[in-house]
Amino acid sequence: MALPKHVTIKEVGPRDGLQNESDMIRTEDKIDWINLLSQTGLSYIEITSFVHPKWISQLADAIEVAKGIEREKDITYAALVPNKKGLERALEANVDEISVFMSASESHNRKNINKSIEETYPVLEEVVLGAKKQQKSVRGYVSTAFGCPYEGDIDVKDVIQVSKTLFDMGIDELSIGDTIGVANPLQVQHFLTEFREHLPEQKVALHFHDTRGTALANCLVAMELGFDTFDSALGGLGGCPYAKGASGNLATDDLFYMLNGMGIETNIDREKLLQAASFIQSKMKKSLSSHQMQILNQGRE
Amino acid sequence: MALPKHVTIKEVGPRDGLQNESDMIRTEDKIDWINLLSQTGLSYIEITSFVHPKWISQLADAIEVAKGIEREKDITYAALVPNKKGLERALEANVDEISVFMSASESHNRKNINKSIEETYPVLEEVVLGAKKQQKSVRGYVSTAFGCPYEGDIDVKDVIQVSKTLFDMGIDELSIGDTIGVANPLQVQHFLTEFREHLPEQKVALHFHDTRGTALANCLVAMELGFDTFDSALGGLGGCPYAKGASGNLATDDLFYMLNGMGIETNIDREKLLQAASFIQSKMKKSLSSHQMQILNQGRE
């Protein structure tokens, strides 16, 4: 099995995790949590989203969180930004990296952003160019790449087209999302094999959701093809907005377990990672859904 | 990716699933459930265990269940048997196949069977020979093959030794168990690559638990090596006796989702499978833990 020696895990729990959680987390708890995450060895943390506060009330404190955390110099603190107004707030908060997002599915893009794909491009381009002007790196998310809740299958050519357009705008990294967690390993293999013929694979991260339990198998296939960057959310925070009882983001702690067992370096300290997971769990009304946290919770009962 | 065209799923929910569930299921509900399972396309169902009723009260009705179900002619109805006394009961109930079990770990074998590995062999041999005399096929389980809750890592050579001894007794198939769900895909690859040099791989099934979320990734690696028979329990029934809050057996419905999405034939009807899962869930006080059932339950809320 040809596997990367090192994998970069990009922690999206404070943004993609919390935005789908109904338990409201206090700003100071988010700050304390991100500070704990900064001590785990993670090199990248997406800390919040500068969407309009009315859209996602959980993340209405984006500026306070971004300004309140202690920054470690080797860590990239990123935030999601939907438009120019969001960019201004993100720049005010001085995040290191800006993430823009859109969908490979026309229907999902309209539902999520209220614009067609073509109408979305200029909005994102303004953000990318504005961020670049301030020497910020930019990440682009393409969601529903492996399946859409409205359209079903998505043609890889559509994902390639959207991705190319984002790279042409100047993004530094692309994150390909299985937003509803439907992908299977063979699909991922076919997708990535075609995808990397057209796009720079060393600038591509995979963002799997574990809604159907296939996320780690999908990561495995991606690694065998040479991909070495994965998004995940600690404790499996996030749920899936289209199946609320189901698990959502691939859990950082579960991904770490598999990689660590396979001897793949992540620079992450297991104990500190689980401490950070236990901390945010203690601020919620529910138990975290990751396998690692279920085991840990059981040991404590 | 070299994958088998067809995979055989062996359903162990009525035995390995229920034996770890605390909600007592009525005999007539077990019978109705197994009858539903018989309509899903499954070709193999492990229906109960003929251990002493005092050991596992959930399965004290083994004879009633085995005699009560409707047998389909193309399905193998198997049952676990620990010793000669259990074999007599299993033969009285006329099950199609007898399963014997032991551990690759000395400590786990002692805890589970109260005998050393060497002391266990003659007990199992008596069962195997007795079953063969009655023209029954025999399956051998080797548990804790990928890790032991007491000893940690298990040497593949120990698993090979135990497995060879079981094949020498005359078993028809071996099921290698990751009893506590610790295996990772690289470990599985190394293990199976060495294992199949010594033993007939076409007579080997893999029995993964999903305690740490790696079961589907482990199945994927096994399939790439040509293994095509997997044990699983519908709905993820069973839990893990060493981490009760955690998920246990790989869920048949989750395995089916992945295989079906990859175009691998299983002969299983998805709707009937989920109906059978919903039926047994309705007889329990909890929701089933599989990803598929979590999604289904959410859709109904």
Side-chain angles (χ1 to χ4, degrees), chain A residues 1 182 184 186 189 210-213 216 220-221 224 243-247 257-258 261-262 291-292 294-295 298, chain B residues 1 182 184-186 189 210-213 216 220-221 224 243-245 247 257 261-262 291-292 294-295 298:
Chain A
M1 208 185 305
V182 291
N184 70 63
L186 191 63
Q189 189 196 45
D210 201 30
T211 318
R212 287 163 185 82
L216 288 178
L220 183 68
V221 167
E224 289 185 274
K244 285 211 167 100
S247 54
Y257 175 82
M258 184 177 86
M262 295 170 77
H291 292 84
Q292 291 298 315
Q294 286 183 53
I295 292 169
Q298 179 58 28
Chain B
M1 209 185 304
V182 291
N184 69 62
L186 191 63
Q189 189 197 44
D210 201 30
T211 319
R212 288 162 184 81
L216 288 178
L220 183 67
V221 167
E224 289 185 274
K244 286 212 167 98
S247 53
Y257 175 81
M262 296 169 78
H291 292 84
Q292 290 298 315
Q294 285 183 52
I295 293 169
Q298 179 58 27

Side-chain angles (χ1 to χ4, degrees), chain B residues 97-98 100 121 124-133 135-140 162-174 200 203:
Chain B
E97 182 166 294
I98 301 295
V100 296
Y121 287 143
L124 300 198
E125 186 160 33
E126 190 176 25
V127 174
V128 175
L129 296 179
K132 286 286 173 186
K133 209 168 170 181
Q135 283 76 50
K136 301 296 183 187
S137 57
V138 180
R139 167 176 245 223
V162 170
S163 303
K164 272 188 173 171
T165 309
L166 292 175
F167 273 117
D168 287 346
M169 288 179 194
I171 63 166
D172 301 279
E173 184 183 60
L174 183 82
K203 292 184 177 178

Side-chain angles (χ1 to χ4, degrees), chain B residues 22-23 64 66 82 84 86 95 100 104 110 112 147 157 160 174 239 241 244-246 251 282:
Chain B
S22 52
D23 290 353
E64 291 76 11
K84 192 183 170 193
V95 298
V100 296
R110 281 186 185 276
N112 203 33
K157 289 180 179 52
I160 289 169
L174 183 82
K244 286 212 167 98
S282 74

